[in-house]
């Protein structure tokens, strides 16, 4: 069959060729030219047909014109962040000066009202001019709008394929909208440098006025920038900008915008800029919005959403007022703790004061950390060797000794290194235990200075804040809270041959203490005996069930004293499970997402809790942890802040005062804080201020006092079996007889304690992401914030 078809084709060709040869030569070439033209036209039509479905559709064009950025709002609707493409202030064409429209059409597309998206006459003229060496563009305003709206769909390559996509899209735009609507869309989307988009924002940026107020020269200056925004930038290249502006004025003269006399006046005027960069709307991200932003990018990709155009409203769970209270508490109290560290390490003698104000008053009169760097010379050299500057120089072939000497002599480098290492940091988180919703999230003292997130990213040893999990496992095993243990240093031998002999830095009494008092007074000796009786595996399993679900827990006995690093998010989640009487809920940070019309397109608010701890054990554990606040290591909540609500919690301190923790539970809100230095080789000097019951407790107490005083949290809410404590007299300090928590010996015999991972300089590690109630999406590492 193929042979017969081929034969017929050859016969047809022979007949056509024979017929053509009978014609005069000039007709032969005419027929050949016509055939080639028809073939090319057919191929071009096929090409266009193939490209047509690859360009934006009519609905995409309609969507682009009414594009609105996605906004992130708090639980009560206050805007927290947005996905705007830079600074953009959309206005109707009626709010734009006619001078702008006249300049634009005269310069960029003088046949704008005569073509249907593509000006073939102008394209032909530009083609001829380019052949003569006079580079010209043939794009219409509609084509430029197509590029502005659909950069990714049309592409950026300089080739015929991109140009054809642009032409097709321009036709679609013209078929969808009027000339007025096209001009309005163009003027609202065109870029003008400095992260500024649209004529209104440009008018404010360059001339400190609205687009409606632009005169002829100002309009010509801005329109002149469109030929090359950087090249004709009036701020950095005023001479070029002025020359280009006068070219635009010349084009306006040709178009009849004004007469010759007016033109001569205008070209003599100087630029007269009033340049001022506009502030980014809604400020900058904080750790919470940066976290949400990363999740949204992933969610949008999976759900085919455009965060810059779809106008989505993302309602988070954040309580705006509680977030403000948290930020104030971190700023105020962590600032005071920084003053304590600065003053204590300034001289060879410690201050030993128990009032934060004493240190704050002394702060300006000392050289912060002067004695620390004098007495830690070897550590300082280690910090230098670990710096990126040192590594880069050595990797480049320089002598290590010479590099070290050079950097030590570099005052600016040393100043920055010492400042970064001696900066105290903090993390704070509050969540609703009844829903799992995040209510406040502060990842560091200042997001602009420190993007490393100490809520979800930093994994640190939790110290004694981990102990309630041990005691919960014991309660589940049937050990009563009044079960007695000997408060003495005991050698504990495990079945695997492990020998462990933990101590309390505060000493032991040699008396029998109940398991309840072991938790209240944070006794390492008692906790170690408890974990001996129940085993390590149940503790690890319960910790994971309660909420420690991303950090890898080392199944060793010292885990009972908080030796295995975890995140603040995990620990607050675990305490929330306890506060919810043993029902686990995943942390939720986005409640719902609605479209531009208010229709809910994703809802994350409801989740079915998981029973992971018996209600009886949870209620008993809460009562034991009440004792921490009423008579144990957390009494500062009562005596420093005068809080009389039914609350329970636990303090935590790690070896050498590297980490201070405090987490407190209220029936409606659980809040926790961590304080320390990013590098745990730098610590608080004072054993008093290094303890979580005196450091981290300040942040939580300050926050809760604001929350209770404002009525955001009820002072009358009670846990089962609870009652509101009697009012207490506030003191500057807790009573002197308070038993304070010590970090204790958290190492097994024959080995050092586990190292706490440190964030590498300028590049924090990418931690495992917390298990959040958002469709199980794995978030990207939160180190690009």
């Amino acid at each position: 069959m193929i042979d017969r078809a081929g034969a017929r084709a050859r016969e047809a060709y022979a007949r056509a060729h024979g017929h053509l040869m009978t014609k005069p030569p000039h007709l032969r070439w005419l027929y050949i030219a016509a055939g080639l033209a028809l073939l090319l036209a057919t191929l071009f039509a096929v090409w266009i047909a193939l490209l047509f479905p690859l360009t934006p559709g009519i609905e995409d064009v309609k969507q682009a014109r009414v594009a609105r950025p996605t906004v992130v709002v708090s639980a009560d609707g206050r805007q927290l962040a947005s996905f705007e493409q830079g600074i953009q202030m959309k206005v109707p064409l009626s709010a734009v000066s006619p001078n702008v429209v006249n300049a634009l059409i005269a310069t960029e597309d003088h046949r704008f009202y005569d073509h249907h998206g593509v000006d073939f006459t102008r394209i032909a003229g530009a083609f001829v001019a380019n052949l003569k060496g006079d580079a010209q563009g043939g794009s219409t305003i509609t084509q430029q709008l197509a590029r502005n709206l659909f950069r990714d769909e049309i592409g950026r390559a300089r080739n015929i394929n991109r140009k054809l996509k642009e032409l097709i899209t321009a036709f679609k735009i013209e078929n969808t909208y009027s000339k007025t609507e096209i001009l309005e869309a163009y003027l609202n989307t065109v870029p003008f440098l400095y992260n500024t988009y649209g004529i209104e924002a440009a008018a404010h940026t360059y001339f400190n006025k609205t687009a409606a107020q632009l005169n002829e020269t100002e309009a010509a200056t801005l329109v002149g920038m469109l030929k090359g925004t950087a090249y004709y930038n009036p701020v950095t290249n005023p001479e070029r900008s002025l020359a280009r502006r006068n070219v635009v004025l010349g084009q306006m003269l040709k178009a009849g915008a004004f007469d010759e006399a007016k033109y001569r006046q205008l070209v003599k005027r100087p630029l007269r800029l009033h340049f001022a960069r506009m502030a980014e709307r809604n400020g900058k991200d904080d750790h919470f919005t940066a976290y949400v932003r990363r999740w949204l990018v992933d969610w949008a990709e999976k759900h085919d959403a455009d965060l810059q155009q779809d106008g989505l409203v993302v309602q988070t769970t954040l309580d705006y007022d509680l977030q403000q209270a948290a930020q104030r508490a971190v700023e105020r109290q962590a600032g005071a703790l920084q003053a304590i560290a600065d003053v204590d390490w300034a001289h060879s003698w410690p201050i030993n004061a128990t009032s934060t104000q004493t240190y704050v008053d002394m702060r300006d009169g000392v050289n912060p950390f002067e004695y620390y760097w004098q007495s830690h010379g070897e550590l300082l050299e280690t910090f230098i060797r670990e710096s990126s500057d040192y590594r880069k120089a050595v990797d480049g072939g320089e002598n290590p000794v010479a590099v070290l000497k050079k950097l030590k002599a570099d005052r600016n480098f040393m100043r920055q290194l010492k400042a970064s290492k001696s900066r105290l940091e903090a993390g704070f988180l509050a969540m609703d235990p009844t829903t799992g919703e995040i209510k406040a999230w502060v990842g560091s003292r200042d997001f602009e200075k420190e993007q490393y997130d100490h809520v979800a990213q930093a994994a640190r040893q939790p110290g004694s804040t981990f102990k309630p999990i041990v005691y919960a496992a014991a309660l589940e095993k049937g050990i009563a809270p009044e079960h007695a243990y000997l408060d003495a240093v005991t050698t504990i031998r495990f079945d695997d041959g492990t020998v462990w002999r933990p101590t309390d830095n505060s000493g032991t009494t040699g008396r029998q203490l109940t398991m309840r008092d072991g938790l209240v007074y944070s006794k390492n000796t008692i906790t170690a005996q408890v974990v001996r009786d129940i085993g390590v595996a149940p503790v690890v399993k319960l910790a994971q069930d309660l909420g420690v679900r991303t950090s890898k827990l080392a199944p060793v006995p010292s885990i009972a004293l908080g030796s295995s690093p975890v995140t603040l998010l995990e620990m607050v989640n675990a305490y929330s499970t306890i506060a919810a009487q043993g029902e686990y809920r995943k942390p939720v940070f986005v409640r719902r997402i609605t479209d531009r019309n208010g229709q809910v397109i994703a809802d994350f608010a409801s989740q079915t809790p998981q029973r992971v701890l018996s209600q009886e054990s949870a209620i008993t554990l809460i009562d034991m942890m009440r004792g921490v606040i009423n008579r144990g290591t957390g009494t500062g909540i009562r005596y420093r802040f005068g809080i009389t609500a039914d609350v329970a919690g636990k303090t935590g301190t790690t070896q050498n005062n590297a980490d201070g923790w405090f987490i407190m539970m209220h029936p409606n809100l659980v809040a926790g804080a961590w304080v320390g230095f990013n590098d745990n080789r730098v610590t608080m000097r004072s054993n008093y201020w290094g303890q979580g019951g005196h450091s981290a407790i300040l942040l939580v107490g300050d926050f809760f006092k604001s929350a209770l005083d404002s009525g955001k949290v009820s002072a009358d809410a009670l846990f089962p079996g609870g009652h509101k404590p009697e009012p207490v007299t506030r003191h500057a300090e807790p009573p002197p007889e308070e038993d304070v928590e010590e970090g204790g010996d958290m190492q097994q015999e024959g080995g050092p304690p586990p190292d706490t991972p440190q964030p590498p300089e300028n590049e924090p590690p990418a931690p495992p992401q917390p298990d959040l109630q958002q469709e199980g999406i794995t978030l990207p590492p939160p180190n690009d914030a």
Side-chain angles (χ1 to χ4, degrees):
M1 181 179 294
I2 294 176
D3 290 341
R4 287 197 298 270
R8 285 197 296 270
R10 287 192 294 272
E11 290 176 4
Y13 172 77
R15 287 196 301 271
H17 182 265
H19 179 70
L20 183 63
M21 295 304 294
T22 62
K23 302 297 181 183
H26 66 281
L27 287 179
R28 290 181 208 165
W29 288 110
L30 184 61
Y31 284 141
I32 291 172
L36 288 174
L38 180 61
L39 177 62
L40 290 174
T42 302
L43 291 175
F44 185 75
V46 172
W47 191 0
I48 293 294
L50 292 174
L51 286 178
F52 204 88
L54 301 178
T55 58
I58 296 299
E59 288 304 314
D60 296 323
V61 171
K62 291 180 178 179
Q63 170 75 359
R65 182 174 176 270
V66 295
R68 291 206 306 264
T70 292
V71 294
V72 178
V73 301
S74 62
D76 60 353
R78 285 186 261 195
Q79 186 167 324
L80 303 174
S82 71
F83 283 80
E84 289 177 288
Q85 184 187 36
I87 303 166
Q88 196 169 18
M89 305 166 68
K90 292 189 175 181
V91 293
L93 191 62
S94 59
V96 177
S97 168
N99 294 317
V100 174
V101 177
N102 292 336
L104 178 66
I105 293 177
T107 307
E108 294 295 317
D109 190 359
H110 68 276
R111 289 168 48 83
F112 175 70
Y113 290 105
D114 299 324
H115 62 67
H116 200 67
V118 179
D119 189 348
F120 291 104
T121 302
R122 187 177 179 193
I123 291 176
F127 179 75
V128 172
N130 287 327
L131 290 178
K132 294 179 179 179
D134 180 17
Q136 290 186 13
S139 295
T140 64
I141 290 174
T142 314
Q143 288 175 257
Q144 294 178 45
L145 175 61
R147 286 200 301 269
N148 290 343
L149 295 181
F150 303 105
R151 294 180 183 275
D152 293 332
E153 294 87 342
I154 292 175
R156 297 171 175 82
R158 290 181 172 274
N159 55 41
I160 187 64
N161 206 52
R162 181 199 64 80
K163 198 66 178 177
L164 288 176
K165 285 185 178 181
E166 181 185 298
L167 298 180
I168 295 169
T169 306
F171 276 122
K172 291 180 180 180
I173 291 174
E174 290 272 352
N175 280 325
T176 308
Y177 293 108
S178 68
K179 294 290 186 178
T180 298
E181 290 170 326
I182 291 170
L183 281 175
E184 182 179 294
Y186 177 84
L187 287 170
N188 277 312
T189 57
V190 65
F192 281 100
L193 296 178
Y194 304 106
N195 203 29
T196 299
Y197 293 81
I199 191 65
E200 181 74 5
H204 283 276
T205 299
Y206 293 98
F207 296 105
N208 191 30
K209 58 175 60 175
T210 66
Q213 296 171 322
L214 293 172
N215 61 33
E216 293 93 342
T217 54
E218 293 163 345
T221 299
L222 295 180
V223 170
M225 291 179 66
L226 302 181
K227 185 177 178 65
T229 51
Y231 191 80
Y232 295 110
N233 182 354
V235 178
T236 58
N237 299 303
E239 295 84 4
R240 292 178 193 163
S241 176
L242 182 63
R244 178 61 184 166
R245 182 205 70 178
N246 290 343
V247 170
V248 174
L249 290 173
Q251 293 298 109
M252 296 173 70
L253 172 64
K254 290 180 183 179
F258 38 70
D259 58 25
E260 182 72 28
K262 179 74 171 178
Y263 167 74
R264 286 196 296 269
Q265 292 176 359
L266 294 175
V267 294
K268 293 178 182 178
R269 292 182 184 175
L271 285 176
R272 290 178 182 167
L273 292 181
H274 294 277
F275 175 75
R277 294 192 65 165
M278 295 182 65
E280 297 283 349
R281 196 176 300 176
N282 306 313
K284 297 183 179 179
D285 274 329
D286 56 23
H287 287 92
F288 178 75
T289 56
Y291 200 95
V292 172
R293 189 182 295 274
R294 284 187 294 272
W295 175 81
L296 274 175
V297 170
D298 198 5
W299 180 89
E301 182 178 346
K302 294 177 183 295
H303 294 81
D304 194 27
D306 188 326
L307 296 176
Q308 290 187 344
Q309 297 194 32
D310 287 355
L312 305 179
V313 177
V314 181
Q315 184 188 45
T316 68
T317 61
L318 201 76
D319 185 294
Y320 188 85
D321 294 330
L322 290 180
Q323 177 71 2
Q324 295 299 306
Q327 290 174 343
R328 288 193 299 269
V330 170
E331 179 181 0
R332 183 161 46 219
Q333 303 299 343
L337 292 169
Q338 179 74 68
I340 291 170
D342 289 345
V343 172
D344 262 341
W345 282 117
H347 304 290
S348 59
W349 62 90
I351 302 302
N352 292 326
T354 55
S355 167
T356 59
Q357 193 59 44
T358 300
Y359 292 91
V360 172
D361 292 341
M362 296 177 65
R363 170 63 177 76
D364 290 339
V366 303
N367 186 357
F369 273 77
E370 181 178 23
Y371 175 70
Y372 183 89
W373 299 120
Q374 292 174 354
S375 59
H376 292 75
E378 291 185 3
L379 180 59
L380 181 57
E381 289 193 356
T382 299
F383 290 158
I384 296 172
R385 292 189 183 96
E386 292 173 351
S387 70
S388 59
D389 294 61
Y390 178 89
R391 292 195 303 268
K392 182 178 179 181
V394 172
D395 291 345
E398 295 186 45
N399 182 276
V401 175
V403 173
L404 180 64
K405 183 178 180 180
K406 180 181 69 175
L407 291 177
K408 289 177 73 172
D410 186 335
R411 292 186 178 182
N412 187 53
F413 168 81
M414 293 300 294
R415 179 182 58 79
Q416 292 180 357
L417 177 67
K418 290 178 180 179
S420 66
K421 291 296 183 180
S422 61
R423 179 176 173 80
L424 183 96
E425 272 304 340
F428 181 93
L429 183 73
M431 64 188 298
D432 185 340
T434 64
T435 62
E437 293 186 345
I438 301 295
K439 295 299 179 183
W441 177 319
V442 183
S444 72
R445 287 173 59 195
D446 187 335
F447 181 78
E448 290 189 26
K449 294 181 179 178
E450 179 60 274
Q451 284 83 52
Y452 188 59
D453 189 354
H454 298 88
V455 170
Q457 188 174 8
R460 302 289 292 233
Q461 291 180 328
S464 294
T465 54
F466 196 85
K467 288 177 181 176
I469 298 174
V470 177
Y471 289 86
L475 293 171
E476 290 288 82
K477 287 284 188 178
I479 302 178
E482 307 309 321
H483 182 83
Y485 287 96
L486 180 64
D487 178 24
V489 177
T490 305
T491 299
I492 300 174
R493 301 182 184 276
F494 291 85
D495 293 340
D496 62 358
T498 303
V499 177
W500 192 31
R501 203 166 185 268
T503 63
D504 282 305
N505 289 345
S506 58
T508 56
T509 63
R511 303 195 307 265
Q512 295 285 329
L513 288 181
T514 64
M515 188 171 72
R516 178 189 296 275
D517 283 346
L519 179 60
V520 168
Y521 299 116
S522 200
K523 300 293 289 183
N524 293 341
T525 53
I526 304 301
T527 307
Q529 294 174 69
V530 173
V531 78
R532 173 201 62 191
D533 290 350
I534 64 175
V536 172
V539 174
V540 173
K541 174 65 167 56
L542 183 57
Q544 293 168 338
D545 288 344
L546 290 173
V548 185
R549 300 195 170 191
T550 56
S551 296
K552 183 176 176 60
L553 296 174
V556 295
S558 62
I559 192 176
L561 306 183
S563 63
S564 200
V566 295
T567 65
L568 179 61
L569 176 59
E570 291 174 303
M571 289 304 296
V572 173
N573 192 16
Y575 275 57
S576 291
T577 303
I578 296 169
Q581 300 171 46
E583 291 186 340
Y584 169 77
R585 292 172 176 83
K586 294 179 181 179
V588 181
F589 57 94
V590 172
R591 185 177 290 168
R592 66 180 57 87
I593 300 175
T594 57
D595 62 19
R596 66 172 66 245
N597 299 315
Q599 299 298 312
V600 177
I601 58 176
D603 195 322
F604 309 101
S606 61
Q607 59 172 307
T608 303
Q610 176 187 358
R611 170 67 63 183
V612 296
L613 179 67
S614 69
Q615 186 176 27
E616 180 183 3
S617 294
I619 292 174
T620 301
L621 181 62
I622 291 169
D623 187 54
M624 294 169 67
M625 295 171 72
R626 278 194 189 98
V628 174
I629 305 297
N630 294 333
R631 58 191 179 90
T633 59
T635 54
I637 286 296
R638 304 287 191 211
Y639 291 94
R640 276 188 185 273
F641 297 98
I643 293 173
T644 58
D646 184 21
V647 293
K650 187 69 187 77
T651 57
T653 309
T654 62
Q655 280 196 321
N656 302 319
N657 305 321
D659 306 275
W661 294 72
F662 181 67
I663 307 175
M664 191 165 77
M665 304 179 296
H666 175 278
N668 307 129
L669 196 67
V670 175
W674 166 90
V675 295
F677 297 86
N678 278 341
D679 193 315
N680 66 358
R681 290 168 291 185
V682 182
T683 64
M684 298 292 283
R685 185 180 191 181
S686 163
N687 285 330
Y688 180 87
W689 290 110
Q691 296 163 12
H694 297 137
S695 58
I697 200 171
L698 299 179
L699 282 66
V700 177
D702 190 325
F703 167 81
F704 253 105
K705 183 172 181 357
S706 295
L708 289 164
D709 289 349
S710 65
K712 296 294 293 188
V713 175
S714 172
D716 298 322
L718 300 174
F719 283 113
H723 63 276
K724 190 173 182 180
E726 294 295 324
V728 296
T729 302
R730 291 183 61 188
H731 300 288
E733 303 301 323
E737 65 270 14
E738 177 195 4
D739 287 301
V740 297
E741 174 187 9
E742 299 287 352
D745 182 2
M746 294 194 294
Q747 47 188 305
Q748 295 171 250
E749 284 192 359
D755 290 332
T756 301
Q758 300 300 326
E761 184 183 4
N762 300 325
E763 188 179 351
Q769 292 302 312
D771 184 16
L772 298 174
Q773 178 66 23
Q774 306 294 351
E775 295 192 347
I777 291 174
T778 301
L779 302 182
N783 62 353
D784 52 349

